Amino acid sequence: MQIEKEPRILAILCKWCSYAGADLAGTSRFNYPANVRIVQVPCSGRVDPIMIFKAFVEGYDGVMVSGCHPGDCHYGTGNYHARRRIAVARRLLEFVGVHPDRMHFTWISAAEGKKFAEVCSEFTDKLRHLSGTEKTLARKELAT
Amino acid sequence: MSKWHKLKRTDLKDFLSRLAEKWEVWVPYRVDGKWEFGIYAPDREMDFPESVIHVSMKNLFFPKRRPIAKYEEDSKWSMQPVAADDKPRIVMGLHPCDVAGIEYMDKVFLNSEHKDVLYESERKRTVLVGMLCSEMADNCHCTDRGLTPDSASGMDVAFAKVDDYYLFKGMTDRGKEIMQSEYLKAVGDAPEKRKWPAGKYAIASPEEFMDMYDDKIWHELSDICLTCGICTYACPTCVCFLVTDEKFKGKGERVTVWDSCQLQSYSRMAGGHNTRKTPASRVRNRTLDKFAYSHLRYGQISCTGCGRCVMVCPLKRSFPQLGARLSERIRDKKKSKAGTGARSKED
Amino acid sequence: MKAMRKKIKELFANGDVDVVLGYREDPASGEVKASVFKKDEMLEDMVFDERCVQNLVNYLPTLVARYSKVGIVLKGCDGRSLATQLVEHRINKNQIVALGVGCEGVKVGGKDADKCEDCPTSMSPVTDHEIGDKKQKKDPVFSKVEEIEKMSPAERWKFFAEYFERCERCYACRQICPSCYCEICVADQQEPKWIEPSAKLSANTMWHLIRAYHLAGRCADCGECERVCPQEIPMRLMNNALEKAVHELFGVRPGMDPEELPPLVVLSKEDPDTIMGGKHE
């Protein structure tokens, strides 16, 4: 299976900053590609790498995780934990054959609607460049 | 009864290719030193193993993952049972212990009130072409379980490897059609009958095993077991499965998947209680199931003596030896009871 | 060997241990197996040589529940494994008497075990008594991991998918691992079903990824998972890749220090954002 021209992207966003940022991007009428599907989590510290693995196995072209900027976490330290977990999960995914450009991890605050739109466009562009290459990890059908 | 027929080894490929015109022919292949079963293809090198191989035949009749119903988003997720496959099939190269395993599975899946229709269709479409063993492998102990390595009971067609030819014999009506092949030439002499060694892993009776339920020995034994599930997957008579739903892209399947009583999750119930939490209780369950419970339910113990559990065990532990060790313990217990007339202090 | 037996006899005599976990050569079959030695029992069958491959730490939790003082014979790798268990408070150090033995390397199937090539410790990092010589060892290189890292993503996936496809999901790797001790494993969960129970590529991939990830920063590379795998899946490769990653990212080598918390349990405000990949301003 190959990465498509119009990639499907899963964005896992924290409730307090990044999701609000995405909201702001909408209300401010910034344009960004419609390839992004958003999942809201209470905190980036809630992001279990198994979610990222599952997204790739179920056929997403790219996965993006975003939370509050370091120091701004609503719960104090959730994003510091997230940073370590994601760093390790990323290394594992790269090791078994996921292209590094298929993952994007960043911080977006509630005021950064513009940044959210930019990140989405950038990430989508990166994935479009990969179109035609093998979509590793993705399952093909029910029985595989 | 029909006669033994001779097939030259050089004719084997032609013989199989002819069969493959009508049947789906399954034969053993050796890949990277390991055996596996596959559909016959003339360009693939194949051979018949002298004795039991580490993969069990179970997968051909009761697959690892088996869809039993399908549903789709388009049809509002309404469930449709999976249609049974009825293409005629030959499975070639099973050994007497495999056939015994299939006969046991028949008792579980076919003789009860609720028949397993998919299993039944797999059985109905299959002609069993069994191979008589020419040797006993290291872990083989079917002679201790009432079988003979060169008995053809339960097979539709039996064959044996002799020097540079094979000897075939039709055992049932279903096997007759295969026997009509032009490559088979009738001969009078049957393959030589051999005397097989026995008594390697003799075991106690099912009733005696039932008495061992509360014995302390299980704690000693479980220390040697990882309680992984590989022995149950390799065992020709382990038939436990779990039913689960799998979904992907608007399609769903309800499937049966092999389960294993050796895994913690097997006996965990809703609410979290686990009736077999300790490895000891799980090892006990498997041992007693093989040597006692199966006898209570189906009138025969469910170990066929194929020795696959030893072949695949990550710690190279011997399950039949465990059975023998227990039987020894039973004998000791009896002796001490007979001697003192009371339970021994240790128990 | 003599010194070890003498030491153990001494420990039994002083009442320092109730039982000792060690390796025993079965006089009948000649096989070397993990065994629990009691006072004045079978001690003459105790061995320690290149056949003692098994990691004994996996047996400790059941033993410390049954006895108040347990002695354990430790190779270098087992000692690292014990350290990871101590720091996770799975075992109370006061209940353990650690007998570190200078290890010369072990053999699996007649060949030197792969894990010995990258072994950083000939002697356990946790010891109460040391027997034999301690050799100076270098930090692991993980040359096999580096080989994989030279491949393209598609090649890497081809390599791993072939192995994942073979997995039978017997969970021998989980059962033998001292660090895999969840009450309910994520693979056994029905709801949410992150990992489907059937043995197929997609579900097997999920299993192997999450197994490796859960051991990141905790795996001390005892190599047991790979040794017991009936399908010979190279699980150590993934473990090592993460060991390497954890060392590069956080400067931690699991198992070397029984006081140091696993890197994914603690947090650091000083971590640079670049560890997550990509560019950050």
Side-chain angles (χ1 to χ4, degrees):
Chain A
M1 215 189 298
Q2 280 135 17
I3 291 179
E4 286 138 61
K5 266 249 145 41
E6 282 306 324
R8 286 195 308 149
I9 296 167
L10 183 76
I12 308 177
L13 307 179
C14 97
K15 174 181 174 176
W16 301 97
C17 294
S18 303
Y19 191 86
D23 214 14
L24 185 66
T27 47
S28 324
R29 299 183 169 267
F30 292 128
N31 276 328
Y32 67 89
N35 308 44
V36 184
R37 278 87 168 148
I38 297 173
V39 171
Q40 189 200 62
V41 287
C43 173
S44 53
R46 168 66 181 90
V47 179
D48 186 331
I50 202 167
M51 299 170 175
I52 304 171
F53 302 157
K54 187 86 174 167
F56 282 121
V57 170
E58 295 296 320
Y60 273 96
D61 301 279
V63 177
M64 168 179 154
V65 179
S66 176
C68 309
H69 282 272
D72 289 347
C73 177
H74 183 81
Y75 303 101
T77 52
N79 50 4
Y80 295 120
H81 283 292
R83 185 161 59 191
R84 289 203 150 191
R85 284 178 199 152
I86 284 167
V88 173
R90 177 189 187 96
R91 295 287 287 258
L92 178 61
L93 283 166
E94 278 180 33
F95 187 68
V96 299
V98 175
H99 196 285
D101 284 353
R102 290 176 63 192
M103 301 171 252
H104 194 95
F105 307 114
T106 182
W107 313 124
I108 296 165
S109 83
E112 291 175 325
K114 190 149 195 338
K115 186 177 174 189
F116 178 79
E118 278 167 15
V119 165
C120 287
S121 324
E122 243 175 68
F123 190 29
T124 314
D125 274 352
K126 259 204 253 172
L127 281 167
R128 282 191 183 131
H129 278 296
L130 284 180
S131 70
T133 60
E134 195 194 341
K135 186 152 73 177
T136 51
L137 252 73
R139 70 201 272 184
K140 293 186 180 80
E141 43 192 296
L142 207 58
T144 54
Chain B
M1 270 318 257
S2 66
K3 276 184 183 169
W4 286 92
H5 288 61
K6 199 167 169 176
L7 171 75
K8 274 192 259 164
R9 203 171 283 198
T10 44
D11 286 344
L12 180 68
K13 274 201 165 168
D14 295 331
F15 172 65
L16 289 176
S17 300
R18 185 63 59 85
L19 290 181
E21 285 167 14
K22 189 179 166 198
W23 283 283
E24 190 183 297
V25 184
W26 287 77
V27 287
Y29 287 107
R30 207 206 289 260
V31 184
D32 299 335
K34 284 191 167 183
W35 290 95
E36 64 176 44
F37 268 83
I39 294 179
Y40 174 71
D43 49 339
R44 246 181 114 180
E45 247 347 279
M46 55 95 39
D47 193 14
F48 292 108
E50 305 291 327
S51 178
V52 63
I53 53 178
H54 75 281
V55 288
S56 122
M57 301 303 300
K58 188 164 72 171
N59 200 24
L60 293 183
F61 297 90
F62 166 52
K64 244 182 242 183
R65 176 185 182 278
R66 178 178 66 161
I68 52 175
K70 297 191 177 189
Y71 43 88
E72 277 182 31
E73 197 174 7
D74 299 342
S75 54
K76 296 201 171 133
W77 303 111
S78 74
M79 250 199 230
Q80 298 298 322
V82 167
D85 197 348
D86 56 2
K87 189 171 187 237
R89 167 172 87 157
I90 293 175
V91 176
M92 211 165 171
L94 318 97
H95 294 280
C97 52
D98 295 319
V99 178
I102 291 168
E103 283 177 339
Y104 180 81
M105 285 205 287
D106 287 352
K107 288 191 179 175
V108 178
F109 288 133
L110 301 181
N111 282 5
S112 60
E113 212 177 309
H114 307 286
K115 272 188 190 173
D116 187 316
V117 284
L118 290 174
Y119 177 81
E120 192 181 24
S121 74
E122 289 293 330
R123 279 292 274 128
K124 275 202 177 140
R125 78 187 181 103
T126 308
V127 182
L128 299 179
V129 180
M131 185 189 178
L132 311 182
C133 300
S134 47
E135 61 180 46
M136 273 172 96
D138 291 346
N139 300 314
C140 283
H141 56 287
C142 59
T143 45
D144 292 340
R145 303 286 178 265
L147 299 170
T148 325
D150 55 4
S151 104
S153 98
M155 299 173 183
D156 293 314
V157 174
F159 75 97
K161 221 173 177 177
V162 193
D163 303 330
D164 61 341
Y165 56 91
Y166 298 98
L167 282 174
F168 278 76
K169 188 182 184 180
M171 308 295 294
T172 60
D173 288 346
R174 300 175 71 195
K176 266 191 188 150
E177 208 179 332
I178 296 172
M179 296 305 294
Q180 280 158 8
S181 170
E182 65 199 73
Y183 296 103
L184 295 171
K185 304 273 180 307
V187 285
D189 43 346
E192 207 182 320
K193 281 270 170 204
R194 278 179 54 186
K195 247 186 107 58
W196 301 94
K200 207 156 128 196
Y201 300 119
I203 47 157
S205 75
E207 291 77 20
E208 286 168 329
F209 265 106
M210 282 306 284
D211 288 342
M212 293 294 282
Y213 190 87
D214 291 321
D215 203 281
K216 255 169 52 183
I217 195 169
W218 300 109
H219 292 282
E220 290 167 37
L221 292 173
S222 62
D223 285 353
I224 65 164
C225 177
L226 282 179
T227 65
C228 76
I230 195 74
C231 53
T232 56
Y233 297 160
C235 181
T237 62
C238 271
V239 290
C240 289
F241 59 85
L242 78 105
V243 181
T244 179
D245 279 11
E246 296 183 348
K247 253 196 282 180
F248 181 58
K249 282 198 175 162
K251 282 186 182 161
E253 273 177 3
R254 181 154 294 176
V255 293
T256 67
V257 182
W258 288 354
D259 202 355
S260 166
C261 60
Q262 298 299 290
L263 303 175
Q264 277 140 300
S265 57
Y266 180 84
S267 38
R268 198 178 76 231
M269 301 178 218
H273 181 63
N274 195 339
T275 48
R276 295 192 201 106
K277 212 168 180 176
T278 60
S281 58
R282 299 201 287 274
V283 172
R284 174 175 65 194
N285 182 65
R286 174 161 158 75
T287 319
L288 292 185
D289 184 78
K290 290 293 144 202
F291 298 130
Y293 302 158
S294 50
H295 186 267
L296 292 177
R297 254 180 253 144
Y298 306 111
Q300 68 173 87
I301 64 159
S302 58
C303 177
T304 66
C306 66
R308 283 193 181 91
C309 43
V310 197
M311 276 185 230
V312 296
C313 181
L315 294 185
K316 301 281 167 276
R317 299 294 192 251
S318 170
F319 184 72
Q321 212 170 45
L322 194 156
R325 196 169 138 194
L326 277 164
S327 307
E328 216 171 279
R329 173 103 168 181
I330 293 170
R331 270 198 300 278
D332 290 350
K333 237 175 152 179
K334 265 193 176 165
K335 251 188 235 159
S336 65
K337 255 189 213 170
T340 59
R343 282 173 79 91
S344 71
K345 199 179 154 196
E346 199 192 339
D347 300 323
Chain C
M1 198 54 243
K2 253 187 191 164
M4 187 161 93
R5 269 193 216 121
K6 200 176 144 212
K7 187 87 231 168
I8 292 172
K9 269 187 193 150
E10 209 178 288
L11 290 173
F12 274 127
N14 296 345
D16 288 341
V17 289
D18 297 332
V19 286
V20 171
L21 191 52
Y23 302 94
R24 173 172 177 258
E25 183 177 346
D26 193 329
S29 64
E31 264 180 278
V32 174
K33 287 178 182 174
S35 218
V36 178
F37 295 86
K38 291 179 185 153
K39 196 176 182 181
D40 303 327
E41 250 184 45
M42 313 185 293
L43 210 56
E44 62 283 356
D45 297 338
M46 187 182 240
V47 287
F48 188 86
D49 52 27
E50 79 274 354
R51 292 171 299 170
C52 303
V53 189
Q54 200 174 350
N55 181 355
L56 300 177
V57 175
N58 203 20
Y59 293 112
L60 271 184
T62 22
L63 282 178
V64 293
R66 231 182 280 170
Y67 303 97
S68 54
K69 275 282 196 181
V70 180
I72 178 169
V73 176
L74 295 166
K75 302 191 288 288
C77 46
D78 303 349
R80 299 198 301 274
S81 200
L82 177 63
T84 64
Q85 298 302 292
L86 291 173
V87 72
E88 288 173 22
H89 300 288
R90 189 157 180 241
I91 301 163
N92 186 348
K93 179 72 191 62
N94 298 332
Q95 274 187 280
I96 304 285
V97 177
L99 295 153
V101 190
C103 175
E104 306 271 332
V106 290
K107 286 194 166 150
V108 178
K111 280 183 287 182
D112 287 343
D114 287 349
K115 64 172 175 179
C116 297
E117 194 183 308
D118 281 323
C119 177
T121 50
S122 73
M123 176 69 77
S124 156
V126 196
T127 50
D128 293 309
H129 305 282
E130 290 187 8
I131 301 154
D133 301 328
K134 190 181 200 164
K135 270 195 257 167
Q136 199 58 45
K137 288 216 166 186
K138 275 183 291 193
D139 277 350
V141 202
F142 302 132
S143 51
K144 281 191 180 149
V145 172
E146 280 169 356
E147 259 169 54
I148 301 280
E149 282 172 345
K150 279 179 203 143
M151 296 182 189
S152 74
E155 282 166 353
R156 293 180 194 189
W157 175 237
K158 193 168 169 265
F159 175 87
F160 282 107
E162 222 163 79
Y163 285 110
F164 291 165
E165 187 108 52
R166 297 206 316 221
C167 177
E168 298 230 35
R169 300 285 284 285
C170 70
Y171 299 119
C173 46
R174 173 182 81 188
Q175 298 300 113
I176 195 103
C177 179
S179 290
C180 266
Y181 54 80
C182 285
E183 276 275 298
I184 294 175
C185 175
V186 65
D188 289 342
Q189 256 173 26
Q190 288 288 318
E191 194 64 44
K193 192 158 49 191
W194 288 111
I195 306 171
E196 288 167 343
S198 52
K200 54 181 180 181
L201 180 60
S202 60
N204 296 351
T205 305
M206 285 299 289
W207 163 245
H208 284 283
L209 288 179
I210 206 67
R211 192 201 62 82
Y213 174 77
H214 282 176
L215 292 172
R218 301 169 64 230
C219 170
D221 196 20
C222 72
E224 289 288 272
C225 44
E226 189 170 308
R227 182 177 71 90
V228 298
C229 181
Q231 298 289 5
E232 290 154 18
I233 299 168
M235 278 173 265
R236 261 193 73 235
L237 263 181
M238 285 176 279
N239 295 346
N240 290 164
L242 289 187
E243 220 180 310
K244 189 166 167 246
V246 164
H247 184 249
E248 284 168 15
L249 296 169
F250 316 120
V252 177
R253 284 213 188 277
M256 299 304 276
D257 179 0
E259 304 285 315
E260 187 165 32
L261 284 164
L264 287 174
V265 169
V266 291
L267 61 89
S268 162
K269 295 184 177 172
E270 271 73 56
D271 285 337
D273 281 343
T274 44
I275 61 173
M276 301 193 300
K279 53 177 199 299
H280 296 268
E281 57 282 348

